[in-house]
Amino acid sequence: MTGPSHDLQLYLPLASAEEFDALERALLKARASELSEVRRRDVRLTAGYGEPTNRDVIDDEARRAQLRYDVLTTLLEAIRTAR
């Protein structure tokens, strides 16, 4: 279920290219962590771990991790465009 969309305008003053690079690296690390979580949950689901109720929880957690990954990807794309 999707609700109304939201536009976010963010002003983030960065003093140097080094800070810009550090921000990008931090977001890349966070995105890699979420991707790892998505893959770990997917493996558990495809291997059939646990009872059906546990698999529903794993599936829900995987969906939330995928959403975080997707949002971080969108943020990184916006940062790269701003460069």
Side-chain angles (χ1 to χ4, degrees), residues 14-78:
L14 298 171
S16 66
E18 184 178 49
E19 285 185 1
F20 203 100
D21 292 341
L23 173 63
E24 187 174 18
R25 280 191 303 275
L27 292 170
L28 283 168
K29 285 182 178 185
R31 188 177 71 158
S33 176
E34 294 301 341
L35 181 58
S36 174
E37 187 67 15
V38 168
R39 289 182 175 165
R40 186 176 72 83
R41 301 282 181 185
D42 284 346
V43 166
R44 291 189 70 176
L45 282 172
T46 57
Y49 283 105
E51 299 294 318
T53 302
N54 290 343
R55 286 195 298 274
D56 288 344
V57 170
I58 293 169
D59 187 42
D60 187 47
E61 290 170 349
R63 275 194 302 274
R64 287 193 312 261
Q66 182 67 54
L67 179 59
R68 291 187 302 265
Y69 175 85
D70 293 343
V71 170
L72 285 166
T73 298
T74 301
L75 181 55
L76 279 163
E77 288 170 357

